[in-house]
Amino acid sequence: SENDKQPKTSKEVIAALSNSANSSEYRYFSESAFAWIDDPISEVEKQIDEGFISGQAHFDLNKPLNWAELSGQIRNVRYKAHAWLMMDSLLVADGLVEGNQYLQKAVDIADDWIRQFIISSNPDEFAWYDMAVGQRATKLAYMLRRIIEEDFSVEQIFRFILSSEIHSIELMQVNRIATHSNHGLFQMAGLLSLSRTIPWLNLSDPSFEFVEKTLTSMLSTQFSVEGMHLEHSPDYHLYMVNHLKSFIDSGWLNESKELNSMIEKV
C-alpha cells in the first residue's frame, strides 16, 4: 500500500481487525431451541460427556469428525455434520461463560472442516448443500469474531477469513438460493450473519443488500398477504415464525422497515 499507516504483516492485519471487531457488537445467531432451554451449560456438559445426538446422528464434541466414515451415513446425518449442528450448544454456551473452553471445541471441529473441504478441496456432495452452507455460515461468522478476540493463531484466523469470504460468495449465487423453500431462509440467515458480524469483509455491504432483496422476495412468495405460510401447515408456520423472529431479535434488520413489517405480519 502507498499508505505507510496500512498494516503490512499478518500480525498487524490481525491487530487492525481486532480493533475493528471490538468497535461493533455481535451475537451468535442460534438456529435451534437449544438457546431457549433452562440450563444450557448443564446440557452442553452432558453433550460433551455423551455426545451430540439428533435422530440417527451421533457426534463426539471432543475431536474433529471422521469424514471418511461419515460418507457412508444416511443423507440426514451427512447434512447435519456439514451444517455443524453439533456446534450450536457449544457456541450458545460460549456466549454465557468467561473463557474459551467451549469455543475451542467448536473451532477444532470447524478448522478441520476448513482444511478438508476448502484448503484441500476434498469432494463431498453435502459439503456445499444449500441449507448446510447457510447454517454453517452463522457459526463461522461468530467463531471468526471470537478467535480474533481470543487471540488465536494468525494462521487459523486467516483460514476462517478465507472460509467466510468463500461462504459469502457462495450464498450470493442467485441460482444456488432455494428461494421457494425454507432452505433459502436459512441461507439468508447465514449470509446476514456474515455481513453483519464481519463488517470489514469487502462483500459485507453488497451481501447485506442481497439479503434484503432476496428475503423480501422470498417472504412475498412463501407467505400469503395475510402472513400465513402457504404450505398450510400450522406446525410449520410456527416453526418459520420462530426462525424469522431470530432475524428480528438479531437487530441486524432494524433499518429494513419493509422486511420488519412483513415479518411482523407473519
Side-chain angles (χ1 to χ4, degrees):
S1 172
E2 295 178 359
N3 187 344
D4 290 339
K5 294 183 179 180
Q6 288 291 323
K8 298 180 178 63
T9 69
S10 296
K11 289 185 177 179
E12 288 175 337
V13 171
I14 297 302
L17 293 182
S18 181
N19 291 334
S20 173
N22 292 334
S23 66
S24 58
E25 294 183 2
Y26 66 101
R27 68 191 294 274
Y28 173 52
F29 193 106
S30 177
E31 297 170 21
S32 82
F34 181 85
W36 309 326
I37 66 175
D38 293 334
D39 189 355
I41 302 301
S42 294
E43 184 63 26
V44 75
E45 287 293 342
K46 179 181 178 181
Q47 290 185 10
I48 290 171
D49 290 340
E50 302 177 5
F52 170 85
I53 302 171
S54 175
Q56 296 185 45
H58 184 281
F59 303 114
D60 186 343
L61 301 186
N62 299 296
K63 60 183 180 180
L65 280 60
N66 185 328
W67 295 103
E69 183 179 286
L70 281 166
S71 65
Q73 293 284 345
I74 63 172
R75 292 175 58 87
N76 187 257
V77 171
R78 295 174 68 190
Y79 144 68
K80 289 176 178 176
H82 283 283
W84 296 351
L85 293 188
M86 78 296 292
M87 292 184 199
D88 191 59
S89 57
L90 293 169
L91 299 181
V92 169
D94 176 67
L96 298 175
V97 301
E98 297 292 332
N100 61 17
Q101 66 268 33
Y102 299 122
L103 173 69
Q104 183 68 67
K105 291 182 181 297
V107 168
D108 288 345
I109 298 170
D111 197 29
D112 176 71
W113 187 97
I114 293 170
R115 290 171 181 271
Q116 297 269 359
F117 300 103
I118 290 184
I119 305 301
S120 298
S121 299
N122 290 339
D124 190 301
E125 62 180 305
F126 280 90
W128 298 100
Y129 177 64
D130 55 15
M131 189 167 172
V133 177
Q135 292 180 301
R136 194 167 61 230
T138 63
K139 299 164 179 62
L140 183 62
Y142 176 84
M143 281 188 281
L144 175 52
R145 283 290 295 267
R146 286 287 286 125
I147 64 175
I148 292 174
E149 183 179 75
E150 293 289 328
D151 198 27
F152 278 51
S153 75
V154 168
E155 293 77 16
Q156 196 164 50
I157 290 172
F158 274 110
R159 285 196 294 274
F160 273 72
I161 291 174
L162 172 65
S163 184
S164 297
E165 185 86 2
I166 290 173
H167 278 70
S168 294
I169 293 171
E170 170 68 14
L171 291 168
M172 291 177 69
Q173 302 304 306
V174 177
N175 64 330
R176 300 275 288 163
I177 305 302
T179 55
H180 299 294
S181 79
N182 69 303
H183 289 204
L185 293 176
F186 283 96
Q187 287 174 295
M188 290 303 96
L191 187 58
L192 179 64
S193 297
L194 288 166
S195 67
R196 298 298 84 178
T197 303
I198 319 170
W200 33 264
L201 282 182
N202 286 335
L203 287 175
S204 290
D205 287 341
S207 62
F208 181 71
E209 293 171 4
F210 184 89
V211 169
E212 286 188 303
K213 179 180 178 181
T214 305
L215 195 53
T216 299
S217 175
M218 290 174 64
L219 292 179
S220 298
T221 56
Q222 293 189 26
F223 295 85
S224 71
V225 292
E226 293 86 5
M228 181 59 67
H229 196 270
L230 294 177
E231 284 194 12
H232 306 296
S233 168
D235 286 344
Y236 196 77
H237 180 87
L238 182 59
Y239 171 70
M240 295 316 301
V241 165
N242 288 333
H243 183 55
L244 290 172
K245 186 176 184 298
S246 296
F247 283 77
I248 300 300
D249 289 346
S250 71
W252 294 330
L253 294 176
N254 286 347
E255 304 301 319
S256 305
K257 294 182 179 179
E258 182 179 4
L259 273 175
N260 274 275
S261 176
M262 296 175 77
I263 294 174
E264 181 65 27
K265 185 180 292 185
V266 170

